[in-house]
Amino acid sequence: MSYTFSSNRDRELGTHYINDGYLIVPVADRESFERIQRLVADSAGNVLGVSAADPETFLNTIHEKVRANELNSFRLEIIRRVNAEPWLRSDYFELARPILECIVGNELAMQLRVNLSIQLPEDDSSLLPVHADVWSGDSPFEAVVWTPLVSCYGSKAMYILPPAADQGLREDFPEYATGSSEDLFQRVKDEVVWIEIKTGEVLIFNQNLPHGNRINQESETRWSMNCRFKGVFTPYGDKKLGEFFEPITLKPASRLGMEYRFPQLGRDQTE
Ligand SMILES: O=C(O)CCC(=O)C(=O)O
Ligand SMILES: [Fe+2]
C-alpha cells in the first residue's frame, strides 16, 4: 500500500491544474466579490461623473461612455483608486484562498497591486498578444488569480494553450521565437481553450503557458482583475519580494526562522 499526504480532493484539483493549465471555481467569499465589483464600478462612475446603479450592467455597457482613445488613462485611474483601498488585496485574496492553498501553498507572497483589464467591443488598441508571463521575467512558480467582474464568453474572454499543445509548440519554438506574436497565435489558434467564466467564479491559471486575448467581438465590455501569487520561499524572477510581491501569510515558525541569528561567541572564544 502506498501512503499519501494530501486529500483526494486536493489531488484531483492538482491533477486538473497540471493537465489543463487552469481551474475555475466559485469565489470562496461572495461578499468580498460583491465589494470589489461595487468598488470598481463606483470608481469608474466617479471618474466619469455618473452613478453606477447595477454594477454589472454598468461595467458591461461602459463602451457607451468611454472611447478607445481614453481607455488606458481611464483604466489606470481606476487601478490607482481601487488599489488605494486598504482592504482590496485582502478581499481579493479571500476570493481564492482555498484554491491557492491547494494549488500554491499556505505561505504565500501576493503581488502588491491588483491589475485591471478592460476590453471594449471591437477595440484593437488594448490587446494582450499571445505570451507567457514567465517569458518576460516572471518566476515559473507564480500562479495568476483572474477574476471576471462581468461574465466572459466567446471573444470577450481570454484564452490559454493547454500543456499538451504547449509541448507541441516547444518543438517548433525556434521557428516562432523571432517572428511576430500574430504568427505565433496563428500556429496555436486551433489548440487554445477560450475560458468561459461567469461572475461569482474565479480562474486560477498557470502563467507558464501561452495565453492572451483577441478583439472582443461580443456586444459587452470585458472587465477582469488579475493578481499573481507564489510560495514565499520559492525562487523569484525579475519581480522581487518587497518591490512587486509581499508575504501575506507567513507562519510563526517561518518568522522565527527568518529572524534567527546564531548567538555571537565571546571575544576570547573567537581569538
Ligand atoms: O486578461 C487577459 O486577457 C490576459 C491576462 C494575462 O495575460 C495575465 O493575467 O497574465
Ligand atoms: Fe499574462
Side-chain angles (χ1 to χ4, degrees):
M1 166 166 184
S2 70
Y3 291 91
T4 165
F5 294 84
S6 48
S7 68
N8 285 343
R9 183 184 140 78
D10 276 12
R11 277 203 311 284
E12 222 170 89
L13 288 169
T15 302
H16 277 292
Y17 185 75
I18 289 172
N19 292 345
D20 300 340
Y22 71 94
L23 287 167
I24 294 174
V25 293
V27 294
D29 184 338
R30 184 78 209 184
E31 280 178 19
S32 289
F33 173 73
E34 284 169 10
R35 254 196 308 275
I36 292 172
Q37 189 191 42
R38 170 52 69 193
L39 172 68
V40 173
D42 285 346
S43 303
N46 289 339
V47 172
L48 295 173
V50 296
S51 76
D54 170 56
E56 196 153 340
T57 309
F58 180 75
L59 296 174
N60 261 324
T61 56
I62 209 78
H63 50 275
E64 295 167 4
K65 302 185 179 67
V66 179
R67 285 195 299 271
N69 65 354
E70 306 161 326
L71 181 62
N72 201 43
S73 56
F74 174 68
R75 185 180 71 92
L76 294 175
E77 178 58 19
I78 298 169
I79 291 178
R80 194 188 65 72
R81 292 186 186 206
V82 301
N83 279 280
E85 283 303 332
W87 52 266
L88 175 75
R89 286 170 68 246
S90 64
D91 268 36
Y92 196 88
F93 172 53
E94 292 305 335
L95 302 177
R97 179 200 283 266
I99 196 71
L100 280 165
E101 287 181 351
C102 168
I103 299 299
V104 184
N106 67 1
E107 286 189 290
L108 294 166
M110 178 180 187
Q111 194 175 321
L112 284 165
R113 213 171 66 146
V114 181
N115 280 324
L116 173 70
S117 298
I118 310 174
Q119 237 79 50
L120 304 178
E122 305 301 336
D123 174 25
D124 65 358
S125 66
S126 56
L127 303 177
L128 272 172
V130 59
H131 69 283
D133 298 9
V134 70
W135 295 345
S136 51
D138 283 77
S139 158
F141 292 82
E142 295 169 25
V144 180
V145 172
W146 191 101
T147 307
L149 302 176
V150 292
S151 290
C152 296
Y153 51 86
S155 55
K156 190 183 174 192
M158 61 167 275
Y159 63 79
I160 187 163
L161 187 69
D166 179 54
Q167 279 308 320
L169 173 63
R170 278 164 182 270
E171 284 158 29
D172 299 350
F173 209 72
E175 250 179 81
Y176 292 93
T178 52
S180 74
S181 51
E182 185 56 26
D183 291 342
L184 183 54
F185 180 73
Q186 291 304 323
R187 161 68 179 76
V188 298
K189 72 174 197 298
D190 297 331
E191 297 173 293
V192 299
V193 172
W194 287 88
I195 306 286
E196 185 152 337
I197 182 167
K198 297 190 290 295
T199 46
E201 295 178 324
V202 73
L203 163 73
I204 177 169
F205 74 89
N206 173 1
Q207 52 76 32
N208 301 332
L209 296 167
H211 59 276
N213 55 48
R214 303 288 286 176
I215 295 178
N216 172 7
Q217 295 179 324
E218 315 308 327
S219 60
E220 298 166 332
T221 297
R222 187 247 279 203
W223 291 72
S224 58
M225 299 180 95
N226 66 76
C227 187
R228 282 149 199 77
F229 292 85
K230 66 195 288 297
V232 179
F233 299 110
T234 58
Y236 286 79
D238 294 344
K239 297 177 174 172
K240 307 289 186 210
L241 199 62
E243 292 164 18
F244 188 88
F245 283 105
E246 175 190 67
I248 54 168
T249 50
L250 274 179
K251 298 290 184 187
S254 296
R255 286 183 197 280
L256 293 172
M258 289 168 82
E259 286 161 14
Y260 187 76
R261 300 287 175 271
F262 278 96
Q264 290 293 312
L265 292 176
R267 182 180 287 264
D268 46 344
Q269 286 163 295
T270 52
E271 280 171 0

